[in-house]
């Protein structure tokens, strides 16, 4: 029997309300199918060379803000086996009663579109989120996303086989 899953969202928190959210979405079994880290020195800082699947993820990631008028995609990075997103939701501009999607609905739609395009689901169930509480935390997350490729060698899921 499988252990009961811990619910990853904050209880009684409205994920449609205005605010910033740090999201991490991992590939199934943490497979490194999105790209590989290239560049390792001062002259060639680390970056991600995307696979065709990673390019599909990039294409749909860039459309998030276009698809939802009350969302801005502030920062993101596609790593070999996960994606980090920094999203901000704003008050809906459509007046009283206009729909505001939750973060879960946005991520579900994003994952679905990618799976449809790729021809299979590449994602783990659910995702990790962190509600950004203040400007200091926002700036730290922004820097974390920017520095993520440089820290790939220290990632616990890094494997030389996955990143020759």
């Amino acid at each position: 029997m499988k252990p009961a899953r811990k619910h990853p969202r904050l209880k009684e928190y409205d994920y449609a309300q205005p605010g910033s959210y740090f999201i991490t979405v991992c590939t199934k079994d943490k497979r490194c199918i999105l790209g590989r880290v290239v560049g390792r020195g001062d002259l060639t800082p680390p970056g991600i060379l995307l696979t065709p699947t990673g390019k599909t993820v990039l294409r749909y990631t860039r459309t998030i803000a276009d698809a939802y008028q009350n969302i801005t995609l502030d920062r993101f990075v596609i790593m070999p086996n996960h994606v980090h997103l920094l999203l901000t939701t704003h008050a809906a501009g459509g007046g009283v009663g206009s729909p505001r999607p939750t973060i879960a609905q946005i991520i579900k739609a994003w994952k679905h579109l990618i799976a449809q395009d790729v021809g299979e689901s590449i994602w783990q169930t659910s995702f990790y989120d962190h509600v950004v509480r203040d400007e200091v935390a926002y700036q730290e997350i922004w820097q974390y996303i920017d520095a993520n490729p440089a820290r790939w060698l220290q990632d616990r899921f890094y494997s030389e086989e996955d990143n020759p």
Side-chain angles (χ1 to χ4, degrees), residues 22 37 39-40 45-48 77 79-80 82 84 140-158 163:
F22 177 45
V37 176
R40 302 259 163 93
I48 305 295
V77 66
M79 295 297 291
H82 64 280
H84 291 301
E140 287 173 355
I141 291 165
W142 182 290
Q143 291 170 4
Y144 177 86
I145 289 172
D146 281 353
N148 213 236
R151 288 192 306 275
W152 178 240
L153 293 176
Q154 288 78 43
D155 190 288
R156 66 185 179 137
F157 297 107
Y158 169 78
N163 204 60

Side-chain angles (χ1 to χ4, degrees), residues 9-21 70 89 100-105 129 131:
R9 308 291 155 254
L10 291 175
K11 286 185 178 189
E12 299 181 27
Y13 185 84
D14 178 5
Y15 281 88
Q17 75 179 334
S20 294
Y21 302 88
N70 68 318
T89 62
R100 289 184 316 195
T102 65
I103 294 297
Q105 291 167 330
D129 72 82
V131 178

Side-chain angles (χ1 to χ4, degrees), residues 60 68 104-114:
Y60 285 103
Y68 302 97
Q105 291 167 330
I106 293 166
I107 299 302
K108 180 180 179 181
W110 175 78
K111 286 171 136 183
H112 174 76
L113 289 169
I114 293 166

Side-chain angles (χ1 to χ4, degrees), residues 20 86 88 132-143:
S20 294
L86 180 57
T88 298
V132 181
R133 308 266 183 203
D134 57 34
E135 184 63 26
V136 171
Y138 181 91
Q139 293 302 323
E140 287 173 355
I141 291 165
W142 182 290
Q143 291 170 4

Side-chain angles (χ1 to χ4, degrees), residues 113-139:
L113 289 169
I114 293 166
Q116 200 171 32
D117 195 308
V118 171
E120 66 176 311
S121 175
I122 62 169
W123 306 111
Q124 280 188 350
T125 303
S126 198
F127 59 93
Y128 171 80
D129 72 82
H130 173 77
V131 178
V132 181
R133 308 266 183 203
D134 57 34
E135 184 63 26
V136 171
Y138 181 91
Q139 293 302 323

